[in-house]
DNA sequence: CGCCTTTGACCAGCGC
DNA sequence: GCGCTGGTCAAAGGCG
């Protein structure tokens, strides 16, 4: 996923907006600041999410959530300041006067005023002068525009950098963790695995062990390995053919309606000894699933991918049928998803994703993909009993759930590890502090609000951002799928609860970002991109999924 | 014409 | 071995 998409944070919209916003060259500085600030929200959000862990302490200084947001802004601002300075330098280069950053703002305002005055005054001035002035202004404006453009570009670059760095760090971290784990595992080896499997039944109580068994070397991030391994061949519908045997022993049936084992997974024979590690990895990865619980009238949530329905079944404990979809964005894409309504509350739509895409995805879709990958890696990493493992989980959880860390629950126990994002909680605990813009988004659907699609984002672990009003609580519950859903046997298996200390900050950050998005559509794309990278992708309306969203309505439901 | 949904059938795993 | 269940296949039909 690092592949190359990334980085180009779309800009056009931003830029355009930018320009349109700035009325006069002089004012430019001032507005620019504001814009920059906005733009930086991203980074802000980024930093916020990532800082949280380390930063929490720092943020601790600011107790309340409210303060939190400001803090972030401030930070950005500071960044911005530096940025501004740069700008100044640029200005100098261009030969324009470079006021101090702060002064700049004021100046801008004054100028603005002056400008307005001028316009009014103009009437009285002789035409020649007027023309000359106008020309001058025009030139200035143009220069300003150019400069602004350059700045934008710079900002974008910076942003990209930040995102990249962030991603890289995360990946690195994960990989390190995994490596460590692998080392441990290596000694154990396959046989060990088997043994563990056997023993596992006994020990189910212990969270970690199962994971260990499952894991295999996930190698780098979740994504890459997965995709590769999964691939077409196996993926193909080999009807039953490919046994991805892996360790999964008792997975077989997770009782909960939801947690059913997926495809190959279910097929996995319990312990078959021989399977190569790769397979197990593969299987593991496959097992890693991300389910999203969201209230939605729509039959399906829009997640940025193209899906094709290949089956529908009546689940046992649920009156509502379960629909099976596979990704059609690429021929061999192994990604599948199940969509089902919660038996208890039919307004809740449960979408479970499995596998990683083996093709480039739109940012929105990437969010999901990355989430899955992250989940997989999380699970894998989670296998580590050691402190490291915990840490890793925390990291992942953070990465995945920057929004509401508090809710993160990971249970390693279940054979099929599922990360559940529960977006069904109260609609907006987060609620933006700034009045949400009018935003016409009537559809109750669960769909990501981003109008513009960010083009490429660096991929990061993240979960899809369904910001809508919905994401309040994210819950990672893995265990057997959705305990809440079907019958919940509560699982004997232990769950790991990841609690993040700094919850508020994240939520705030997210909300802030969301607010920003909502406020300025032009930034949407950029913000979306950033957010997506962090949190996950959201769904820009139109494109790909169209088919899915509404159309299907008819299909299965009920 | 291509893509998608629908839907019954098929297959495999699991429990009895 | 039988039945149940979950997951998938693939023919048929619909839609743009
Ligand atoms: Zn795909």
């Amino acid at each position: 996923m690092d592949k190359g998409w990334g980085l180009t944070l779309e800009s056009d919209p931003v830029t355009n907006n930018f320009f349109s916003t700035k009325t006069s060259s002089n004012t430019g500085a001032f507005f620019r600041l504001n814009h920059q600030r906005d733009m930086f929200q991203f980074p802000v959000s980024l930093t916020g999410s990532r800082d949280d862990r380390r930063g929490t302490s720092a943020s601790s200084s600011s107790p309340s959530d409210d303060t939190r947001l400001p803090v972030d802004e401030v930070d950005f601002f500071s960044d911005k300041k530096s940025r501004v300075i740069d700008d100044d330098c640029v200005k100098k280069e261009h030969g324009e006067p470079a006021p101090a950053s702060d002064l700049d703002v004021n100046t801008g305002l004054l100028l603005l005023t002056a400008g307005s005055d001028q316009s009014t005054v103009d009437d009285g001035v002789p035409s020649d002068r007027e023309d000359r002035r106008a020309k001058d202004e025009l030139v200035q404006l143009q220069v300003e525009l150019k400069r602004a453009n350059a700045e934008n570009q710079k900002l974008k670059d910076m942003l990209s950098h930040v995102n990249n760095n962030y991603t890289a760090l995360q990946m690195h971290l994960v990989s390190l963790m995994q490596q460590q784990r692998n080392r441990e595992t290596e000694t154990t080896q396959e046989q060990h695995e088997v043994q563990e499997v056997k023993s596992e039944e006994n020990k189910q109580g212990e969270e970690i062990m199962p994971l260990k068994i499952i894991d295999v070397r996930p190698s780098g991030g979740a994504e890459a390995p997965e995709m590769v391994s999964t691939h077409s061949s196996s993926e193909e519908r080999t009807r039953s053919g490919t046994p991805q045997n892996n360790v999964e022993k008792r997975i077989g049936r997770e009782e909960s309606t939801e947690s059913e084992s997926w495809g190959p997974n279910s097929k996995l024979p319990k312990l078959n000894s021989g399977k190569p590690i790769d397979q197990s990895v593969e299987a593991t990865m496959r097992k890693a699933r991300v389910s999203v619980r969201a209230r939605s009238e729509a039959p399906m949530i829009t997640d940025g991918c193209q899906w094709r329905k290949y089956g529908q079944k009546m689940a046992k404990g649920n009156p509502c049928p379960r629909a099976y979809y596979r990704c059609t964005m690429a021929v061999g894409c192994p990604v599948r998803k199940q969509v089902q309504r919660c038996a208890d509350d039919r307004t809740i739509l449960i979408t479970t994703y499995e596998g990683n895409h083996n093709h480039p995805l739109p940012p929105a879709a990437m969010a999901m993909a990355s989430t899955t990958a992250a989940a997989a890696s999380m699970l894998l990493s989670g296998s580590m009993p050691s402190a490291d493992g915990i840490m890793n989980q925390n990291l992942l959880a953070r990465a995945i759930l920057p929004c509401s860390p508090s809710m993160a629950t990971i249970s390693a126990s279940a054979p099929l590890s599922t990360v559940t994002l529960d977006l069904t909680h109260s609609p907006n605990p987060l609620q933006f502090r700034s009045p949400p813009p009018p935003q016409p988004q009537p559809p109750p659907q669960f769909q990501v609000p981003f109008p513009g699609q960010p083009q490429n984002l660096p991929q990061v672990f993240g979960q899809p951002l369904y910001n809508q009003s919905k994401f309040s609580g994210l819950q990672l519950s893995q265990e057997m799928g959705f305990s809440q859903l079907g019958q919940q046997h509560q699982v004997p298996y232990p769950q790991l609860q990841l609690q993040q200390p700094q919850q508020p900050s994240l939520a705030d950050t997210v909300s802030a970002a969301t607010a920003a998005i909502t406020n300025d559509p032009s930034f949407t794309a950029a913000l979306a991109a950033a957010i997506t990278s962090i949190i996950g992708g959201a769904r820009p309306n139109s494109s790909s999924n169209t088919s899915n969203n509404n159309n299907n309505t008819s299909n299965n439901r009920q």
Side-chain angles (χ1 to χ4, degrees), chain A residues 59-71 433 504-505 508:
Chain A
S59 65
S60 63
S61 59
S62 63
S64 68
D65 297 355
D66 294 350
T67 49
R68 205 133 219 227
L69 185 50
V71 170
R433 24 192 116 248
S505 63
D508 287 356

Side-chain angles (χ1 to χ4, degrees), chain A residues 37-56:
Chain A
R37 211 182 270 174
D38 288 349
M39 292 193 69
F40 273 80
Q41 290 241 320
F42 261 174
V44 174
S45 60
L46 278 177
T47 43
S49 61
R50 102 173 89 121
D51 282 355
D52 288 348
R53 78 173 108 100
R54 82 177 131 128
T56 306

Side-chain angles (χ1 to χ4, degrees), chain A residues 146-211:
Chain A
K146 284 184 182 177
R147 206 194 49 197
N149 238 335
E151 283 181 27
N152 273 336
Q153 199 55 44
K154 271 190 182 179
L155 288 175
K156 285 176 207 162
D157 290 348
M158 272 184 61
L159 221 145
S160 297
H161 263 106
V162 172
N163 278 336
N164 283 339
N165 289 339
Y166 179 60
T167 304
L169 279 175
Q170 261 189 336
M171 297 288 272
H172 190 77
L173 224 155
V174 173
S175 62
L176 283 177
M177 297 289 194
Q178 287 177 346
Q179 281 183 3
Q180 270 193 356
R181 193 178 28 102
N182 286 341
R183 278 186 224 149
E184 290 182 3
T185 310
E186 282 182 8
T187 55
T188 347
Q189 291 249 7
E190 297 175 0
Q191 291 177 352
H192 205 322
E193 286 182 1
V194 176
Q195 288 178 353
E196 281 185 354
V197 173
K198 290 179 182 178
S199 62
E200 163 205 359
E201 292 179 355
N202 297 340
K203 51 169 107 166
Q204 289 173 346
E206 304 191 358
E207 33 196 53
I208 336 158
M209 296 316 291
L211 287 182

Side-chain angles (χ1 to χ4, degrees), chain A residues 305-307 326-330 332-335 356-361:
Chain A
C305 270
Q306 285 186 315
W307 302 96
R326 83 169 33 119
C327 176
T328 58
M329 293 189 83
C333 185
V335 176
N356 284 323
H357 296 273
N358 60 1
H359 53 87
L361 292 170

Side-chain angles (χ1 to χ4, degrees), chain A residues 39 92 124 139 185 188 192 228 243 251 260 290 317 319 398 479 520:
Chain A
M39 292 193 69
K92 286 178 182 176
V139 174
T185 310
T188 347
H192 205 322
V228 175
I251 345 173
E260 54 342 36
V290 176
R398 232 166 238 146
E479 55 151 35
D520 190 348

